[in-house]
Coordinates of all heavy atoms in Angstrom, one line a residue:
M281 N 0.8 -1.2 0.0 CA -0.1 0.0 0.0 C 0.9 1.2 0.0 O 1.8 1.4 0.8 CB -0.9 0.0 1.3 CG -1.8 1.1 1.3 SD -2.9 0.9 2.7 CE -4.1 -0.2 2.1
T282 N 0.8 2.1 -0.9 CA 1.5 3.3 -1.0 C 1.0 4.4 -0.1 O -0.2 4.3 0.3 CB 1.5 3.9 -2.5 OG1 0.3 4.3 -2.8 CG2 2.1 2.9 -3.5
R283 N 1.8 5.4 0.2 CA 1.4 6.4 1.0 C 0.1 7.1 0.5 O -0.7 7.6 1.4 CB 2.6 7.4 1.2 CG 2.3 8.4 2.2 CD 3.5 9.3 2.4 NE 3.7 9.6 3.7 CZ 4.6 10.4 4.2 NH1 5.5 10.8 3.4 NH2 4.8 10.6 5.5
S284 N -0.1 7.3 -0.8 CA -1.2 8.1 -1.3 C -2.5 7.4 -1.2 O -3.4 8.0 -1.1 CB -0.9 8.4 -2.8 OG -0.8 7.3 -3.5
N285 N -2.4 6.1 -1.2 CA -3.8 5.3 -1.1 C -4.0 4.7 0.3 O -4.9 3.9 0.4 CB -3.9 4.3 -2.2 CG -3.0 3.2 -2.1 OD1 -2.1 3.1 -1.2 ND2 -2.9 2.2 -3.1
R286 N -3.1 4.9 1.3 CA -3.3 4.5 2.6 C -4.4 5.3 3.3 O -4.5 6.5 3.2 CB -2.0 4.6 3.4 CG -2.1 4.1 4.8 CD -0.8 4.1 5.6 NE 0.3 3.6 4.8 CZ 1.3 4.2 4.6 NH1 1.4 5.5 4.9 NH2 2.3 3.7 3.9
P287 N -5.3 4.6 4.1 CA -6.3 5.3 4.8 C -5.7 6.4 5.7 O -4.7 6.2 6.4 CB -7.1 4.3 5.6 CG -6.5 3.0 5.2 CD -5.3 3.2 4.4
A288 N -6.4 7.6 5.7 CA -5.8 8.6 6.6 C -6.2 8.3 8.0 O -7.2 7.6 8.3 CB -6.5 10.0 6.2
G289 N -5.4 8.9 8.9 CA -5.7 8.8 10.3 C -5.3 7.4 11.0 O -6.0 7.0 11.9
V290 N -4.2 6.7 10.5 CA -3.7 5.5 11.2 C -2.9 6.0 12.4 O -1.9 6.6 12.2 CB -3.0 4.7 10.1 CG1 -2.5 3.4 10.9 CG2 -3.9 4.3 9.0
F291 N -3.3 5.5 13.6 CA -2.6 5.9 14.7 C -2.0 4.7 15.5 O -2.7 3.7 15.4 CB -3.5 6.7 15.7 CG -3.7 8.1 15.3 CD1 -4.9 8.3 14.5 CD2 -2.9 9.2 15.5 CE1 -5.3 9.7 14.1 CE2 -3.1 10.5 15.1 CZ -4.4 10.6 14.4
L292 N -0.9 4.8 16.1 CA -0.2 3.7 16.8 C 0.0 4.0 18.2 O 0.4 5.3 18.4 CB 1.1 3.3 16.1 CG 1.1 3.0 14.6 CD1 2.6 2.8 14.2 CD2 0.2 1.7 14.4
T293 N -0.1 3.1 19.1 CA 0.2 3.4 20.5 C 1.8 3.5 20.7 O 2.5 3.2 19.7 CB -0.2 2.2 21.4 OG1 0.5 1.0 21.0 CG2 -1.7 2.0 21.2
N294 N 2.1 3.8 21.9 CA 3.6 3.9 22.1 C 4.3 2.5 21.8 O 5.4 2.6 21.2 CB 3.8 4.4 23.6 CG 5.4 4.7 23.9 OD1 5.8 5.6 23.5 ND2 6.0 3.7 24.6
N295 N 3.7 1.5 22.3 CA 4.4 0.2 21.9 C 4.5 -0.2 20.5 O 5.4 -0.6 20.1 CB 3.7 -0.9 22.8 CG 3.9 -0.8 24.3 OD1 4.8 -0.1 24.8 ND2 3.0 -1.6 25.1
E296 N 3.3 0.1 19.8 CA 3.3 -0.2 18.4 C 4.2 0.7 17.7 O 5.0 0.3 16.7 CB 1.9 0.1 17.8 CG 0.8 -1.0 18.4 CD -0.6 -0.6 18.2 OE1 -0.9 0.7 18.0 OE2 -1.4 -1.4 18.1
A297 N 4.3 2.0 18.0 CA 5.3 3.0 17.4 C 6.7 2.6 17.6 O 7.6 2.6 16.7 CB 5.0 4.4 17.8
A298 N 7.0 2.1 18.9 CA 8.3 1.7 19.2 C 8.7 0.4 18.4 O 9.8 0.3 17.8 CB 8.5 1.4 20.7
S299 N 7.8 -0.4 18.1 CA 8.1 -1.6 17.3 C 8.3 -1.2 15.9 O 9.2 -1.7 15.3 CB 6.8 -2.6 17.5 OG 7.0 -3.7 16.7
F300 N 7.5 -0.3 15.4 CA 7.6 0.2 14.0 C 9.0 0.7 13.8 O 9.7 0.5 12.7 CB 6.5 1.2 13.7 CG 6.7 1.8 12.4 CD1 6.1 1.2 11.3 CD2 7.3 3.1 12.2 CE1 6.2 1.8 10.0 CE2 7.4 3.7 11.0 CZ 6.9 3.0 9.8
L301 N 9.5 1.6 14.9 CA 10.8 2.2 14.7 C 12.0 1.3 15.2 O 13.2 1.7 15.1 CB 10.8 3.5 15.5 CG 9.9 4.6 15.1 CD1 9.9 5.7 16.1 CD2 10.3 5.1 13.7
R302 N 11.5 0.1 15.6 CA 12.6 -0.9 16.2 C 13.4 -0.3 17.3 O 14.6 -0.5 17.4 CB 13.4 -1.5 15.1 CG 12.7 -2.2 14.0 CD 13.5 -2.8 13.1 NE 12.6 -3.5 12.1 CZ 13.0 -4.5 11.3 NH1 14.2 -4.9 11.3 NH2 12.1 -5.0 10.5
L303 N 12.6 0.4 18.2 CA 13.2 0.9 19.5 C 12.4 0.3 20.7 O 11.3 -0.3 20.5 CB 12.9 2.5 19.6 CG 13.5 3.4 18.5 CD1 12.9 4.7 18.7 CD2 15.1 3.2 18.6
S304 N 13.0 0.4 21.9 CA 12.2 -0.1 23.0 C 11.2 1.0 23.4 O 11.4 2.2 23.0 CB 13.1 -0.3 24.2 OG 13.5 0.9 24.8
P305 N 10.0 0.6 23.9 CA 9.0 1.6 24.3 C 9.5 2.8 25.2 O 9.2 3.8 25.1 CB 7.9 0.8 24.9 CG 8.1 -0.6 24.4 CD 9.5 -0.7 24.1
R306 N 10.5 2.4 26.1 CA 11.0 3.3 27.0 C 12.0 4.2 26.3 O 12.0 5.5 26.6 CB 11.9 2.5 28.1 CG 12.5 3.4 29.1 CD 11.4 3.9 30.0 NE 12.0 4.9 30.9 CZ 11.7 6.2 30.8 NH1 10.9 6.7 30.0 NH2 12.4 7.1 31.7
T307 N 12.7 3.8 25.2 CA 13.4 4.8 24.5 C 12.6 5.8 23.8 O 12.9 6.9 23.8 CB 14.3 4.0 23.5 OG1 15.2 3.1 24.2 CG2 15.1 4.9 22.6
L308 N 11.5 5.3 23.2 CA 10.6 6.2 22.6 C 10.0 7.2 23.5 O 9.9 8.4 23.3 CB 9.5 5.5 21.9 CG 8.5 6.3 20.9 CD1 9.3 7.1 19.9 CD2 7.6 5.3 20.3
E309 N 9.7 6.8 24.8 CA 9.2 7.6 25.8 C 10.2 8.7 26.2 O 9.9 9.9 26.4 CB 8.8 6.9 27.1 CG 7.5 6.0 26.9 CD 7.4 5.1 28.1 OE1 8.1 5.2 29.2 OE2 6.5 4.2 28.0
K310 N 11.4 8.2 26.2 CA 12.6 9.2 26.6 C 12.7 10.4 25.5 O 12.8 11.4 25.8 CB 13.9 8.4 26.8 CG 15.0 9.3 27.1 CD 16.3 8.4 27.4 CE 17.4 9.4 27.8 NZ 18.7 8.6 28.0
H311 N 12.5 9.9 24.2 CA 12.6 10.9 23.1 C 11.6 11.8 23.3 O 11.7 13.0 22.9 CB 12.7 10.1 21.8 CG 13.9 9.6 21.3 ND1 15.0 10.3 21.0 CD2 14.3 8.2 21.1 CE1 16.0 9.6 20.7 NE2 15.6 8.4 20.7
R312 N 10.3 11.3 23.6 CA 9.2 12.2 23.8 C 9.4 13.3 24.9 O 9.1 14.5 24.7 CB 7.9 11.4 24.1 CG 6.7 12.2 24.0 CD 5.4 11.3 24.0 NE 5.2 10.5 25.2 CZ 5.4 9.2 25.3 NH1 5.5 8.5 24.3 NH2 5.2 8.6 26.5
T313 N 10.0 12.8 26.0 CA 10.2 13.8 27.1 C 11.3 14.8 26.7 O 11.3 15.9 27.3 CB 10.5 13.1 28.4 OG1 11.7 12.3 28.3 CG2 9.4 12.3 28.9
L314 N 12.2 14.4 25.9 CA 13.4 15.3 25.6 C 13.0 16.0 24.4 O 13.9 16.9 23.9 CB 14.7 14.4 25.3 CG 15.2 13.7 26.5 CD1 16.4 12.8 26.0 CD2 15.7 14.7 27.5
N315 N 11.8 15.9 23.7 CA 11.4 16.5 22.5 C 12.3 16.3 21.4 O 12.5 17.1 20.6 CB 11.2 18.1 22.9 CG 10.1 18.7 22.1 OD1 9.3 17.9 21.6 ND2 10.1 20.0 22.0
S316 N 12.9 15.1 21.3 CA 13.7 14.8 20.3 C 13.2 13.6 19.4 O 13.9 13.2 18.4 CB 15.1 14.3 20.8 OG 15.0 13.2 21.6
G317 N 12.0 13.2 19.6 CA 11.4 12.1 18.9 C 10.4 12.5 17.8 O 10.3 13.7 17.5
P318 N 9.7 11.6 17.3 CA 8.5 12.0 16.3 C 7.4 12.8 17.0 O 7.2 12.6 18.2 CB 8.2 10.5 15.8 CG 8.5 9.6 16.9 CD 9.7 10.2 17.5
R319 N 6.7 13.4 16.2 CA 5.5 14.0 16.7 C 4.5 13.1 17.2 O 4.4 12.0 16.8 CB 4.8 14.9 15.5 CG 5.6 16.0 15.1 CD 4.9 16.8 13.9 NE 3.5 16.3 13.5 CZ 2.5 17.2 13.4 NH1 2.7 18.5 13.4 NH2 1.4 16.7 13.0
Y320 N 3.7 13.5 18.1 CA 2.7 12.6 18.8 C 1.5 13.5 19.2 O 1.5 14.7 19.2 CB 3.3 11.9 20.0 CG 3.7 13.0 21.1 CD1 2.8 13.2 22.1 CD2 5.0 13.5 21.1 CE1 3.2 14.0 23.1 CE2 5.4 14.3 22.2 CZ 4.5 14.6 23.2 OH 4.9 15.5 24.1
C321 N 0.5 12.8 19.4 CA -0.9 13.4 19.8 C -1.2 12.9 21.3 O -0.9 11.7 21.5 CB -2.0 13.1 18.9 SG -1.8 13.5 17.2
K322 N -1.8 13.7 22.1 CA -2.2 13.3 23.4 C -3.8 13.3 23.4 O -4.3 14.3 23.1 CB -1.7 14.1 24.6 CG -0.2 13.6 24.8 CD 0.3 14.2 26.0 CE -0.2 13.3 27.2 NZ 0.4 13.6 28.5
F323 N -4.4 12.3 23.7 CA -5.9 12.3 24.0 C -6.1 11.8 25.5 O -6.0 10.8 25.9 CB -6.6 11.2 23.0 CG -6.4 11.5 21.6 CD1 -5.3 11.0 20.9 CD2 -7.2 12.4 21.0 CE1 -5.2 11.1 19.5 CE2 -7.0 12.7 19.6 CZ -6.0 12.1 18.9
G324 N -6.3 12.9 26.3 CA -6.2 12.7 27.7 C -4.8 12.3 28.1 O -3.9 12.9 27.8
R325 N -4.7 11.1 28.7 CA -3.4 10.6 29.2 C -2.8 9.6 28.1 O -1.7 9.2 28.2 CB -3.5 9.8 30.5 CG -4.0 10.8 31.6 CD -4.2 10.1 32.8 NE -3.1 9.3 33.3 CZ -3.1 8.5 34.3 NH1 -4.1 8.4 35.1 NH2 -2.0 7.9 34.8
R326 N -3.6 9.4 27.1 CA -3.1 8.5 26.0 C -2.3 9.1 25.0 O -2.7 10.1 24.4 CB -4.4 7.8 25.4 CG -4.0 6.7 24.5 CD -5.3 6.0 24.1 NE -4.9 4.8 23.3 CZ -5.7 4.0 22.8 NH1 -7.0 4.2 22.8 NH2 -5.2 2.9 22.1
V327 N -1.2 8.6 24.7 CA -0.2 9.1 23.6 C -0.3 8.3 22.3 O -0.3 7.0 22.5 CB 1.2 9.2 24.1 CG1 2.1 9.5 23.0 CG2 1.3 10.0 25.4
L328 N -0.6 8.9 21.2 CA -0.7 8.2 20.0 C 0.2 8.9 19.0 O 0.5 10.1 19.0 CB -2.1 8.1 19.5 CG -3.1 7.3 20.3 CD1 -4.5 7.5 19.7 CD2 -2.7 5.9 20.4
Y329 N 0.7 7.9 18.1 CA 1.6 8.6 17.0 C 0.9 8.2 15.7 O 0.4 7.1 15.4 CB 2.9 7.7 17.0 CG 3.8 8.1 18.2 CD1 3.6 7.3 19.4 CD2 4.7 9.0 18.2 CE1 4.5 7.6 20.5 CE2 5.5 9.3 19.2 CZ 5.4 8.5 20.4 OH 6.2 8.8 21.5
A330 N 0.9 9.2 14.8 CA 0.3 9.1 13.4 C 1.4 8.4 12.6 O 2.5 8.7 12.7 CB 0.0 10.4 12.9
L331 N 0.9 7.3 11.9 CA 1.8 6.6 11.0 C 2.6 7.5 10.1 O 3.9 7.3 10.0 CB 1.2 5.5 10.3 CG 2.0 4.5 9.5 CD1 3.0 3.9 10.4 CD2 1.1 3.5 8.8
H332 N 2.0 8.5 9.5 CA 2.7 9.4 8.6 C 3.8 10.2 9.3 O 4.8 10.5 8.7 CB 1.8 10.2 7.8 CG 1.0 11.2 8.5 ND1 1.4 12.4 8.9 CD2 -0.3 11.2 9.2 CE1 0.5 13.1 9.6 NE2 -0.5 12.3 9.8
D333 N 3.6 10.6 10.5 CA 4.6 11.2 11.4 C 5.8 10.3 11.7 O 6.9 10.8 11.7 CB 3.9 11.7 12.7 CG 3.1 13.0 12.4 OD1 3.2 13.7 11.4 OD2 2.2 13.2 13.2
L334 N 5.5 9.1 11.9 CA 6.6 8.1 12.2 C 7.4 7.9 10.9 O 8.7 7.9 10.9 CB 6.1 6.7 12.6 CG 5.4 6.8 14.0 CD1 4.8 5.4 14.2 CD2 6.4 7.1 15.1
E335 N 6.8 7.9 9.7 CA 7.5 7.8 8.5 C 8.3 9.1 8.2 O 9.5 9.0 7.7 CB 6.5 7.5 7.3 CG 5.9 6.1 7.5 CD 4.7 5.8 6.5 OE1 4.0 6.9 6.1 OE2 4.5 4.7 6.2
A336 N 7.7 10.2 8.5 CA 8.5 11.5 8.2 C 9.6 11.5 9.3 O 10.7 12.0 8.7 CB 7.6 12.7 8.5
Y337 N 9.5 11.1 10.4 CA 10.6 11.1 11.4 C 11.6 10.2 10.8 O 12.9 10.5 10.9 CB 10.1 10.6 12.8 CG 11.2 10.5 13.8 CD1 11.7 11.6 14.4 CD2 11.7 9.3 14.2 CE1 12.7 11.5 15.4 CE2 12.5 9.2 15.2 CZ 13.1 10.3 15.7 OH 14.1 10.2 16.7
T338 N 11.3 9.1 10.4 CA 12.3 8.1 9.9 C 13.1 8.7 8.6 O 14.3 8.6 8.6 CB 11.6 6.8 9.3 OG1 11.0 6.3 10.5 CG2 12.7 5.8 8.8
E339 N 12.4 9.4 7.8 CA 13.0 10.0 6.6 C 13.9 11.1 7.1 O 15.0 11.2 6.4 CB 11.9 10.6 5.7 CG 11.3 9.5 4.8 CD 12.1 8.8 3.8 OE1 13.0 9.4 3.3 OE2 12.0 7.6 3.8
S340 N 13.6 11.9 8.1 CA 14.4 12.9 8.5 C 15.8 12.4 9.3 O 16.7 13.2 9.4 CB 13.6 13.9 9.5 OG 13.5 13.3 10.8
R341 N 15.8 11.1 9.6 CA 17.0 10.6 10.3 C 18.0 10.0 9.4 O 19.1 9.7 9.8 CB 16.5 9.5 11.3 CG 15.4 10.0 12.3 CD 15.9 11.1 13.2 NE 16.9 10.5 14.1 CZ 17.6 11.2 14.9 NH1 17.5 12.6 14.9 NH2 18.5 10.7 15.6
W342 N 17.8 10.0 8.1 CA 18.7 9.5 7.1 C 20.0 10.4 7.1 O 19.9 11.6 7.1 CB 18.1 9.3 5.7 CG 17.2 8.1 5.6 CD1 15.9 8.1 5.6 CD2 17.6 6.7 5.5 NE1 15.4 6.9 5.5 CE2 16.4 6.1 5.4 CE3 18.8 6.1 5.4 CZ2 16.4 4.6 5.3 CZ3 18.7 4.7 5.4 CH2 17.6 4.1 5.2
H343 N 21.1 9.7 7.0 CA 22.4 10.4 6.8 C 23.1 9.9 5.7 O 23.0 8.7 5.4 CB 23.3 10.2 8.1 CG 22.7 10.7 9.4 ND1 22.8 12.2 9.7 CD2 21.9 10.2 10.3 CE1 22.2 12.3 10.9 NE2 21.6 11.1 11.2
G344 N 23.8 10.8 5.0 CA 24.6 10.4 3.9 C 26.0 9.9 4.4 O 26.2 9.9 5.5
R345 N 26.8 9.7 3.5 CA 28.2 9.2 3.7 C 28.9 10.5 4.3 O 28.9 11.6 3.7 CB 28.8 8.8 2.4 CG 30.1 8.1 2.7 CD 30.7 7.8 1.4 NE 30.0 6.6 0.8 CZ 30.3 6.1 -0.3 NH1 31.3 6.7 -1.1 NH2 29.6 5.1 -0.9
S346 N 29.7 10.3 5.4 CA 30.4 11.4 5.9 C 31.7 11.6 5.1 O 32.2 10.8 4.4 CB 30.8 11.1 7.5 OG 31.7 10.1 7.4
K347 N 32.3 12.8 5.2 CA 33.6 13.1 4.5 C 34.7 12.3 5.1 O 35.5 11.8 4.2 CB 33.9 14.5 4.8 CG 33.0 15.6 4.2 CD 33.5 17.0 4.6 CE 32.4 18.1 4.3 NZ 32.8 19.4 4.7
D348 N 34.6 11.8 6.3 CA 35.7 11.1 6.9 C 35.8 9.7 6.2 O 36.8 9.2 6.0 CB 35.5 11.0 8.4 CG 35.8 12.3 9.2 OD1 36.4 13.2 8.5 OD2 35.2 12.4 10.2
S349 N 34.4 9.0 6.0 CA 34.5 7.7 5.5 C 35.0 7.7 4.1 O 35.5 6.7 3.6 CB 33.1 7.1 5.6 OG 32.2 7.8 4.8
V350 N 34.8 8.8 3.4 CA 35.2 8.9 2.0 C 36.7 9.1 2.0 O 37.4 8.5 1.1 CB 34.5 10.1 1.3 CG1 35.1 10.3 -0.1 CG2 33.0 9.8 1.1
A351 N 37.3 9.9 2.9 CA 38.7 10.1 2.9 C 39.5 8.8 3.2 O 40.6 8.7 2.9 CB 39.0 11.1 4.0
L352 N 38.8 7.9 4.0 CA 39.5 6.7 4.4 C 39.7 5.7 3.3 O 40.5 4.8 3.5 CB 38.7 6.0 5.7 CG 38.8 6.8 6.9 CD1 37.8 6.1 7.9 CD2 40.1 6.9 7.4
R353 N 39.0 5.9 2.2 CA 39.1 4.9 1.1 C 40.4 5.0 0.3 O 41.1 5.8 0.2 CB 38.0 5.2 0.1 CG 36.6 4.8 0.6 CD 35.6 5.0 -0.4 NE 34.5 4.1 -0.1 CZ 33.7 3.7 -1.0 NH1 33.7 4.2 -2.2 NH2 32.7 2.9 -0.7

């Protein structure tokens, strides 16, 4: 299913989002408190992550080859 034809409004719990990102739930909670993780929504005490925000967060974390690794060749 591509991003354009996926149903809108797919939300994941903290545990599901952590699994999607291959992190521990506690690590994801830590990122949330440090404001360094993906965007999230709060509904009362419940924290949910939109799937498209997790994908955007993943895309923003990609790094290219560093200058040092090129120089070592």
Side-chain angles (χ1 to χ4, degrees):
M281 182 177 282
T282 65
R283 186 177 219 182
S284 60
N285 66 3
R286 184 179 304 123
V290 176
F291 290 92
L292 303 177
T293 65
N294 188 72
N295 289 347
E296 293 167 335
S299 178
F300 177 82
L301 296 172
R302 298 186 181 204
L303 300 172
S304 76
R306 183 67 187 114
T307 299
L308 189 54
E309 290 170 11
K310 184 176 179 180
H311 280 295
R312 190 169 61 244
T313 61
L314 296 174
N315 214 16
S316 62
R319 287 176 14 132
Y320 61 94
C321 299
K322 285 194 83 171
F323 297 97
R325 294 173 61 182
R326 189 171 187 184
V327 174
L328 295 175
Y329 294 88
L331 185 57
H332 65 86
D333 286 333
L334 294 174
E335 291 170 335
Y337 176 74
T338 301
E339 285 298 316
S340 73
R341 305 298 292 171
W342 283 103
H343 296 276
R345 190 184 290 172
S346 71
K347 292 179 193 175
D348 294 336
S349 66
V350 174
L352 294 174
R353 288 181 152 203

